[in-house]
Amino acid sequence: MKDFFLTNEVPIHKKALGVLFFLTYAFFPFDLIPDYLAFLGLIDDVVIASFVLERFVKIAPESLKKKHKFIEK
């Protein structure tokens, strides 16, 4: 993750979009399933976090994908 933000290969607007994704969810968490429902309440948090991380991988340059051994299908 650190490499994504430190490299010059990723345009600044993509870096800003990534930060915006994280900050939006941190300050306005949208729960499909309320967290008080024990294990089920965490599922939507995991799904949204996975989606955001997947977006980071998709917009990362090929050099970073190769460096960290991410393979797209």
Side-chain angles (χ1 to χ4, degrees), residues 1 3 7-8 12 15 17 24 27 29 35 37 40-41 50-52 59 62 65 67:
M1 192 72 127
D3 289 342
T7 186
N8 290 331
I12 192 75
K15 293 176 185 180
L17 185 62
T24 300
F27 289 109
D35 287 339
L37 291 177
L40 294 176
S50 298
F51 173 77
V52 170
I59 63 176
E62 289 299 317
K65 291 177 189 178
K67 179 181 177 183

Side-chain angles (χ1 to χ4, degrees), residues 13-56:
H13 70 277
K14 289 184 178 183
K15 293 176 185 180
L17 185 62
V19 170
L20 183 64
F21 278 147
F22 275 119
L23 290 177
T24 300
Y25 187 67
F27 289 109
F28 305 107
F30 177 71
D31 283 336
L32 298 173
I33 303 168
D35 287 339
Y36 62 82
L37 291 177
F39 177 72
L40 294 176
L42 297 176
I43 292 174
D44 66 331
D45 295 331
V46 171
V47 168
I48 291 173
S50 298
F51 173 77
V52 170
L53 290 174
E54 189 252 340
R55 294 288 105 197
F56 272 110

